[in-house]
Amino acid sequence: MVSQCPYSSLCLPATDLPRIVVIGAGFAGINLIKKLHNSPVQLVLLDKNNFHQFQPLLYQVAIAGLEPDSIVTPIRKLFQGYRNLIYRLAEVNRVDPDSRRVFTDIGWVQYDYLVIATGSVTNYFGLEDVARNSVGLKDIRDALDIRSWVLQNLEAAAITCDQNEKEALTNFVIVGGGPAGVELAGALSEFRRYLLRKDYPEIAEEWMKVYLVEATDRLLGTMPEAASDHAFRTLSQLEVEIRLNTTVQGYTGSEVLLADNQTLLAKTLIWTAGVKGAAPEGLAPESGTKGRRLKVDPFNQVEGCRHVFTIGDIAAMTDEEWPQGHPMVAQVAIQQGKLLAENLLHLIRHGTFKTAFHYRDKGSMATIGKRNAVAKIGGSVWKGKLAWVLWSTVHLFSITGFKNKLMVGINWIIRYLNYEKANRLIIREFKPQQTKVEQT
Amino acid sequence: MVSQCPYSSLCLPATDLPRIVVIGAGFAGINLIKKLHNSPVQLVLLDKNNFHQFQPLLYQVAIAGLEPDSIVTPIRKLFQGYRNLIYRLAEVNRVDPDSRRVFTDIGWVQYDYLVIATGSVTNYFGLEDVARNSVGLKDIRDALDIRSWVLQNLEAAAITCDQNEKEALTNFVIVGGGPAGVELAGALSEFRRYLLRKDYPEIAEEWMKVYLVEATDRLLGTMPEAASDHAFRTLSQLEVEIRLNTTVQGYTGSEVLLADNQTLLAKTLIWTAGVKGAAPEGLAPESGTKGRRLKVDPFNQVEGCRHVFTIGDIAAMTDEEWPQGHPMVAQVAIQQGKLLAENLLHLIRHGTFKTAFHYRDKGSMATIGKRNAVAKIGGSVWKGKLAWVLWSTVHLFSITGFKNKLMVGINWIIRYLNYEKANRLIIREFKPQQTKVEQT
């Protein structure tokens, strides 16, 4: 038994090495840790889940037939053999920069350097009834909830004779025309086109409707207009009812209230219209910015908090090119994680940071239904099948672990050959009222 | 829109065909339905889940790295194109043979012929504290609960400094030395041997203990003694602590009380020591037998209930060869399902049954850890690697659906090549106190 560390209640081994506490095993956190493998530091990773999730494919778990196990990787497996890493399954309650302590549901730990990589959560912008009655798409549990919810409502639609009820049960409203909303809408309308008749002879195809509601005047607002137009046309062909320039004001659980006093009957509402930083309590309020991100300098150090860093979605780093901060996407998180690892080592060895962060935008992409996607690479926009092949390749190579790559790859090949989506299972029964009401 | 059937509130289409209501989509129910495809009957299938589960591999979902999706098949997918079948996601509350009605949580339906194929549930033999604090292995949710529970307790063990607490968290007690208990004990001790050190450097291998508690004097009591001996030896080599002739009297949630006043500290107890028929309410009590099965004649008709049939685990059919009824295994369910389909058609067409049921015992088998199994085929007992190859082949061919076969097959090949079990994910947090206390 190693002697217990007096600077923690988490059963950490005592050490003379500087301790870096990392909160969150998303893209930012795991890339930082990989870079610090075998470095002379003690790494303590805290995450409320025991797995890393590959968020870009959550929508496929929700609708399009991927197993949840295929897109998540156990943290302990990911870092097998990392002798300088200690992982703890813990939910962080509070950070105290004065005593350099992190307080969790299982105890506290003192840090020399703290890296907050807690990512973002769904932002309902204060719409409490929406938060209560809808589900977001930020977590593997959200994806499984959506899967169950859609199927439960179709089962209920099969046995109701009340026309209003049936309409509400077969209308699916997706709010937010970003990549998540577009991909979900595409997958759901393909479910309707290729599976509904086979699986639910009780429900005519024209009954089921997929709505995509977007507040601005175009889909995929962060991509060039050519990409937006292609997404609009493709989804229209798939009979998605797209409502641009439309905001959602409320949701009763069966009726969506739109800004222009119109309503939509729908018992399913999926909210992908916004995210906000998931900052832990305890950091000085002036560190906060719009969207609850924490303002950092070019080395990802939180303003006014020495040796406290944030990376990924939660970090708001502004410069001339990005006056609102970087986009909250995987690429930023990965690049910041890797660079901060180098900067931390340099700081420990030489007392200074090495390199300021500069985001290299490698492009962005989104699938729209099957065999169709849009991608922005550098200045050019790719559309259609070629973009879809690119999307598939990039995502397959990005998934953690050989077995997961293999499983996802095989699933995609089977799906490419036919339109069958096999994973129509209600294992976790979904009850919308269980969704937590947001605190802000 | 078809006209609604006046003999049901479940939105069934009206028909002149005789209606067969089937409760349960286990091995018995689905084999009956497959045989009745395109027959001139209206089939109504009720199940509280929207999927069929392949129970023999539940233990691999719990411990050994199979995805839940790979061993369950959506019912609507299974019966795509069955024009004479209507499926309803419904939990049956009560059966009323007088009015020939089945009452469910979503409405009622009147039958001409009723087939009860509800299988069995875990039998705690009245031990309420065990029921409350342990988990069985009869359902995919049980398997996911066990997976989460084992991992949660190992995470908790990694941070406790209290030696008693640590012992309780790293002791895993499996009650019941039948195939389920033996397979689970084997998988769990292989987890210890090949993964614990890699994943949990905080927990020494000698700390984690797997106990297998069996009330009789041997494991695999339904198989020949040579098989029992082989199982005992193999599990002993895997360092499973086997306690024969030992019954469990109670369980506080952290202490297992054994019959001889001995106790075992353990925060995990998995109960595979018994099952009982899951009979719906409403059948006359005299129909019941030991283990809550319903007594049937050689045509699976419930005694005293005309046109009510039970098949599979729930059916107690006794004859000279099987004075206690048939074993509650998949083979009996499959054979009874198929035969009853023929007998029902004959009854409808000619007013009489065709063939009395006679069980053809094709043998039984169980895996014991990796690359090792026992099998009884006819009079002979197979042991070791050859039995394991046989076990794997038989089970792979029995799993429903091409994609599931492929996914399970690939998982097994990966697992054969290394000992990695990838699915160590806590997605459903498990809380033992949530386990329902049994009604009887």
Side-chain angles (χ1 to χ4, degrees):
Chain A
M1 204 67 194
V2 288
S3 65
Q4 296 301 317
C5 162
Y7 301 110
S8 167
S9 69
L10 299 183
C11 275
L12 304 183
T15 178
D16 294 328
L17 296 173
R19 175 183 293 159
I20 303 174
V21 173
V22 181
I23 312 176
F27 285 121
I30 67 170
N31 278 285
L32 174 99
I33 288 168
K34 280 182 183 166
K35 274 272 177 184
L36 293 174
H37 186 196
N38 288 334
S39 296
V41 293
Q42 187 189 55
L43 288 163
V44 177
L45 172 61
L46 309 174
D47 198 294
K48 63 183 172 185
N49 292 321
N50 80 333
F51 49 82
H52 163 73
Q53 35 192 336
F54 190 73
Q55 290 197 23
L57 291 180
L58 283 177
Y59 85 95
Q60 294 212 357
V61 173
I63 310 287
L66 280 187
E67 283 92 351
D69 294 11
S70 304
I71 68 156
V72 289
T73 313
I75 291 170
R76 287 184 180 274
K77 179 180 171 188
L78 200 55
F79 297 122
Q80 266 182 11
Y82 278 59
R83 295 194 171 192
N84 60 336
L85 175 81
I86 299 134
Y87 160 71
R88 290 292 178 259
L89 177 68
E91 182 140 21
V92 171
N93 297 326
R94 190 164 58 85
V95 167
D96 179 14
D98 293 330
S99 64
R100 288 187 291 123
R101 287 189 177 190
V102 175
F103 296 90
T104 79
D105 57 344
I106 57 166
W108 58 272
V109 55
Q110 195 163 342
Y111 60 81
D112 295 308
Y113 304 90
L114 174 64
V115 180
I116 301 172
T118 41
S120 56
V121 294
T122 302
N123 190 352
Y124 293 99
F125 303 104
L127 296 169
E128 285 199 18
D129 56 345
V130 176
R132 201 165 39 239
N133 297 313
S134 75
V135 65
L137 185 59
K138 283 296 291 175
D139 184 279
I140 192 78
R141 298 174 190 86
D142 290 340
L144 291 172
D145 283 345
I146 291 173
R147 195 198 262 195
S148 291
W149 201 11
V150 169
L151 297 172
Q152 284 168 220
N153 282 351
L154 288 176
E155 293 294 343
I159 58 155
T160 184
C161 303
D162 177 326
Q163 294 300 314
N164 269 344
E165 176 81 0
K166 191 165 194 143
E167 196 182 332
L169 286 164
T170 52
N171 280 352
F172 298 86
V173 177
I174 298 160
V175 185
V182 164
E183 289 176 330
L184 209 49
L188 203 50
S189 50
E190 290 200 320
F191 174 91
R192 176 186 54 195
R193 180 167 288 186
Y194 299 104
L195 263 178
L196 186 70
R197 194 176 21 190
K198 288 194 214 167
D199 259 21
Y200 292 89
E202 300 96 333
I203 302 171
E205 208 176 301
E206 56 271 26
W207 268 105
M208 180 172 164
K209 289 208 169 64
V210 179
Y211 292 90
L212 182 59
V213 179
E214 164 60 34
T216 71
D217 61 353
R218 62 186 181 104
L219 302 175
L220 302 176
T222 58
M223 293 178 78
E225 291 212 10
S228 304
D229 292 347
H230 182 74
F232 189 93
R233 272 197 312 277
T234 311
L235 288 182
S236 299
Q237 277 159 19
L238 285 168
E239 293 173 80
V240 174
E241 312 245 350
I242 306 169
R243 301 282 179 92
L244 298 177
N245 300 309
T246 306
T247 56
V248 169
Q249 304 280 305
Y251 180 49
T252 64
S254 56
E255 209 171 48
V256 189
L257 295 108
L258 305 177
D260 48 4
N261 275 329
Q262 285 198 306
T263 57
L264 282 174
L265 274 184
K267 291 235 170 185
T268 317
L269 186 114
I270 303 164
W271 185 267
T272 69
V275 293
K276 60 182 179 187
E281 306 246 323
L283 289 173
E286 61 263 36
S287 310
T289 61
K290 201 179 145 213
R292 287 177 69 85
R293 299 165 89 183
L294 294 169
K295 214 162 179 200
V296 294
D297 69 16
F299 306 99
N300 284 92
Q301 191 165 233
V302 175
E303 282 194 356
C305 278
R306 205 167 153 258
H307 291 184
V308 177
F309 303 83
T310 71
I311 47 178
D313 283 4
I314 181 79
M317 186 193 297
T318 52
D319 56 23
E320 277 177 24
E321 196 183 347
W322 302 99
Q324 301 288 320
H326 298 103
M328 292 158 93
V329 296
Q331 272 306 319
V332 173
I334 293 168
Q335 293 175 25
Q336 288 186 343
K338 287 180 179 171
L339 184 68
L340 181 57
E342 287 177 28
N343 275 329
L344 278 174
L345 286 182
H346 203 271
L347 179 67
I348 291 166
R349 283 178 191 147
H350 306 103
T352 56
F353 295 115
K354 193 176 161 199
T355 321
F357 180 72
H358 179 74
Y359 176 41
R360 283 188 54 233
D361 185 357
K362 291 189 181 172
S364 55
M365 44 181 96
T367 46
I368 316 159
K370 193 170 140 174
R371 301 179 203 174
N372 204 328
V374 286
K376 190 199 93 181
I377 313 289
S380 61
V381 173
W382 299 23
K383 290 177 287 196
K385 202 159 177 173
L386 194 61
W388 177 80
V389 171
L390 186 70
W391 180 93
S392 305
T393 311
V394 167
H395 282 79
L396 205 53
F397 275 90
S398 309
I399 297 168
T400 315
F402 168 73
K403 192 182 136 184
N404 284 1
K405 280 189 193 12
L406 188 70
M407 289 296 167
V408 171
I410 291 168
N411 261 291
W412 285 353
I413 290 166
I414 293 175
R415 207 139 51 82
Y416 185 86
L417 298 176
N418 67 16
Y419 280 90
E420 196 57 86
K421 299 172 199 305
N423 308 80
R424 307 190 285 279
L425 311 163
I426 307 175
I427 291 181
R428 274 166 75 88
E429 199 191 346
F430 178 67
K431 299 194 186 80
Q433 62 272 28
Q434 288 184 334
T435 310
K436 271 181 234 154
V437 178
E438 62 176 352
Q439 296 305 309
T440 303
Chain B
M1 205 67 197
V2 290
S3 65
Q4 296 300 317
C5 161
Y7 301 109
S8 167
S9 68
L10 298 183
C11 275
L12 305 183
T15 177
D16 295 329
L17 296 172
R19 174 182 294 157
I20 303 175
V21 173
V22 182
I23 311 176
F27 285 120
I30 68 168
N31 278 284
L32 174 100
I33 288 168
K34 280 182 183 166
K35 275 271 177 185
L36 293 174
H37 186 197
N38 289 333
S39 296
V41 292
Q42 187 189 54
L43 288 163
V44 178
L45 173 61
L46 308 173
D47 198 292
K48 65 184 172 184
N49 292 321
N50 81 332
F51 50 81
H52 163 72
Q53 36 191 334
F54 190 74
Q55 291 196 22
L57 291 180
L58 283 178
Y59 85 95
Q60 293 212 357
V61 173
I63 309 288
L66 279 188
E67 282 92 351
D69 294 12
S70 304
I71 69 156
V72 290
T73 313
I75 292 170
R76 289 185 179 272
K77 179 181 171 182
L78 200 54
F79 298 121
Q80 266 181 11
Y82 279 58
R83 296 192 171 194
N84 60 336
L85 175 79
I86 298 132
Y87 161 70
R88 290 291 177 260
L89 178 68
E91 181 138 23
V92 171
N93 297 325
R94 190 164 58 85
V95 167
D96 180 13
D98 293 330
S99 64
R100 290 187 291 123
R101 287 187 177 190
V102 176
F103 295 90
T104 79
D105 58 344
I106 57 165
W108 58 271
V109 55
Q110 196 163 344
Y111 60 82
D112 296 308
Y113 304 90
L114 175 64
V115 180
I116 300 171
T118 40
S120 55
V121 292
T122 302
N123 191 352
Y124 293 99
F125 304 105
L127 296 169
E128 285 197 19
D129 57 344
V130 176
R132 201 165 39 238
N133 297 313
S134 75
V135 64
L137 185 58
K138 283 295 292 175
D139 183 280
I140 192 78
R141 296 174 191 86
D142 291 341
L144 290 172
D145 282 345
I146 292 173
R147 194 199 263 196
S148 291
W149 201 12
V150 169
L151 297 173
Q152 285 168 219
N153 282 351
L154 289 176
E155 292 294 344
I159 58 156
T160 183
C161 303
D162 177 327
Q163 295 300 313
N164 269 343
E165 176 80 0
K166 190 165 197 145
E167 195 180 334
L169 285 165
T170 51
N171 280 352
F172 298 86
V173 177
I174 298 160
V175 185
V182 165
E183 290 176 330
L184 209 49
L188 203 50
S189 51
E190 289 200 321
F191 174 93
R192 175 185 54 195
R193 181 166 288 186
Y194 298 105
L195 262 177
L196 187 70
R197 195 177 17 190
K198 287 194 216 167
D199 260 21
Y200 293 88
E202 298 96 334
I203 302 170
E205 207 176 303
E206 56 271 26
W207 268 104
M208 179 172 164
K209 290 210 169 61
V210 179
Y211 291 89
L212 181 59
V213 179
E214 163 60 34
T216 72
D217 62 354
R218 64 187 178 104
L219 302 175
L220 301 176
T222 58
M223 293 179 78
E225 292 213 9
S228 304
D229 293 346
H230 182 74
F232 188 94
R233 270 198 312 276
T234 311
L235 288 182
S236 299
Q237 278 159 15
L238 284 168
E239 293 173 80
V240 174
E241 311 245 349
I242 305 168
R243 301 283 179 92
L244 297 177
N245 300 308
T246 306
T247 56
V248 169
Q249 305 278 304
Y251 180 48
T252 64
S254 56
E255 209 170 50
V256 189
L257 294 109
L258 305 176
D260 48 3
N261 275 329
Q262 286 199 306
T263 57
L264 283 174
L265 274 184
K267 291 235 167 185
T268 317
L269 186 116
I270 303 165
W271 184 266
T272 69
V275 292
K276 60 182 180 187
E281 306 248 323
L283 290 172
E286 62 263 37
S287 310
T289 63
K290 199 180 147 216
R292 289 179 68 86
R293 299 165 88 182
L294 294 169
K295 213 163 181 198
V296 294
D297 69 16
F299 306 98
N300 283 92
Q301 190 164 231
V302 175
E303 282 194 358
C305 279
R306 209 170 150 256
H307 292 183
V308 177
F309 303 83
T310 71
I311 48 179
D313 281 5
I314 181 80
M317 187 192 296
T318 54
D319 57 22
E320 279 178 21
E321 197 182 344
W322 302 99
Q324 302 288 322
H326 298 103
M328 293 159 93
V329 296
Q331 273 305 319
V332 173
I334 293 167
Q335 293 175 28
Q336 288 187 342
K338 287 180 179 172
L339 184 69
L340 180 58
E342 287 177 27
N343 276 329
L344 279 174
L345 287 181
H346 203 272
L347 179 66
I348 290 166
R349 283 176 190 149
H350 307 103
T352 57
F353 295 115
K354 192 176 162 199
T355 320
F357 180 72
H358 179 74
Y359 175 43
R360 284 187 54 232
D361 185 357
K362 291 190 181 172
S364 55
M365 45 181 94
T367 45
I368 316 159
K370 191 170 141 173
R371 301 179 203 174
N372 205 327
V374 286
K376 191 199 94 181
I377 315 288
S380 62
V381 173
W382 299 24
K383 289 176 289 196
K385 202 160 180 176
L386 194 61
W388 178 81
V389 171
L390 186 71
W391 179 94
S392 304
T393 312
V394 167
H395 282 79
L396 205 54
F397 276 91
S398 308
I399 297 168
T400 314
F402 167 73
K403 191 182 134 184
N404 284 0
K405 281 189 191 13
L406 188 69
M407 289 294 167
V408 171
I410 290 169
N411 261 291
W412 285 353
I413 290 166
I414 293 176
R415 206 138 53 82
Y416 185 87
L417 297 176
N418 67 16
Y419 281 88
E420 196 56 86
K421 301 173 199 304
N423 309 83
R424 308 191 285 278
L425 311 164
I426 306 175
I427 291 181
R428 276 166 75 87
E429 199 192 347
F430 178 68
K431 300 193 184 80
Q433 62 271 28
Q434 288 184 335
T435 310
K436 274 181 232 156
V437 177
E438 62 176 352
Q439 296 304 308
T440 305

